[in-house]
Amino acid sequence: MKRSKVIGGVVVIVILTAIGIYLATSKTGFKEGEISRIEDWKDDYPLIYESYMDNADMSKTTYGGSEPIDYLKEHPNLKTFYDGYGFSIEYLRARGHVYALDDVINTARPKPGASCLSCKTADFTVAVEEDGVTVNKIDFQEFLEDHPQTSTINCYDCHRNEPGKIEVTRAHLTKALAYVEGEESPNNQVCAQCHVEYYLEPVNKEVVLPWKDGIDTDDMLVYYDEINFGDWQHPTTGANLLKAQHPEFETFKDSIHDRAMLTCTSCHMPEILGDNEIKSHHWTSPLKSKEGLASACATCHWESNEDLIERVEGVQEKVFIKTNEVSNELNDFIERLSSAVADDAVKGNDLEELQDIHRRAQFKWDFVFVENSEGFHNSQKAHQNLDEARELVKEGIELIEKYGY
């Protein structure tokens, strides 16, 4: 009798263990913490796989696109703006999502820690979930060597291992959304995991979104001032500067399309032609193809493709022109301030004010320049930031001219 009880107990333990293993495994066959890769799904979702692979495309639009260009050559003022910072060494236009990991590995810019991988691979995200925030400050190359399976952006980043189910996988967004009023669409959240302004917390190198006081540039500047944060000190003006990243989400908010209840996926993940339930996973400008225009724009706008492109590029052109104008004005101000600092001509409160003007004007200009819609996501907000940057520069020039510069 005792022998049968022991055997029965063993059987129960085996069954419970099996149940535990099953529960720890998603219904798709992946264990918790295991990362599914794009190749794992190509047979089950061939159309989605095919559209994802289209992200390898490198082509341009009139004012943007994914064709690699050297921004430092195209916009020489950047060498002055980013002097003393990594972006003055190399600054290339971002290619498609499939290149995200390769591009961050191969950039000539220095990497302060493994957190530079935060938006390039789910392998880093899972490592942080498992081992905590200290993963952020691990040496970049060391992390890659310890995780040789690391792959670029793919299914897990937005779905974990559940096809069709949107899941936010980046804790930095989850934390920051607590400061955003109202409910945010999951279709925006999934893109806002990476298409946002952020900074690296100085101690742990953790990614933080500066949304505590709001998501506009003035709000962010208040926050950055409160914590006395700067990405670097400009070597010739002494200003404590901020490097804007890629604030597509913050720019899009309160735009005409946002108020119309459209989301990122409305335009950048249109339905694949011929299938009303499958969305394209080629994240790019709808202007690149007739199919993109038909799927993303023509559902609301009934103009011809040519008229639609002309309309969009008309919006972008105005922002493009003003961005370049303000760039030249800002560059002139920085050169004057640099000369005054070199001559030790300005001191005290006036110097602090001029350096603060440099900090604010450049951040507002940069916020527009680095945003990937060339102003189309919210042209009103783009023009507002450029106008405010211009006014700050005028104030700075008026002040520095009193010293003969």
Side-chain angles (χ1 to χ4, degrees), residues 328-382:
N328 290 332
E329 294 163 13
L330 176 60
N331 191 69
D332 176 45
F333 168 68
I334 293 172
E335 289 180 347
R336 294 188 193 205
L337 178 55
S338 297
S339 296
V341 170
D343 295 341
D344 200 24
V346 185
K347 298 179 181 179
N349 293 336
D350 282 352
L351 179 58
E352 290 180 5
E353 183 177 350
L354 287 164
Q355 290 170 335
D356 187 58
I357 286 173
H358 182 188
R359 171 182 168 92
R360 295 173 185 280
Q362 184 162 313
F363 181 67
K364 285 178 176 289
W365 177 88
D366 206 23
F367 202 85
V368 178
F369 178 77
V370 301
E371 199 274 328
N372 282 304
S373 74
E374 286 68 49
F376 186 76
H377 282 149
N378 191 338
S379 60
Q380 182 177 358
K381 187 175 290 186

Side-chain angles (χ1 to χ4, degrees), residues 38 45-55 155 159 163-166 185-188 190-191 261-284 291-292 294-297 299:
I38 183 67
Y45 302 97
L47 289 177
I48 291 179
Y49 175 81
E50 181 181 346
S51 67
Y52 170 86
M53 296 306 293
D54 286 339
N55 287 298
C155 311
H159 304 291
K165 181 181 179 182
I166 294 177
S185 166
N187 291 344
N188 284 337
V190 74
C191 299
M261 305 300 288
L262 297 179
T263 68
C264 305
T265 63
S266 302
C267 299
H268 297 289
M269 293 186 67
E271 292 175 352
I272 294 176
L273 295 181
D275 197 314
N276 293 326
E277 296 182 359
I278 295 179
K279 287 187 171 293
S280 171
H281 283 59
H282 180 198
W283 306 292
T284 189
E291 292 79 8
S295 301
C297 305
T299 53

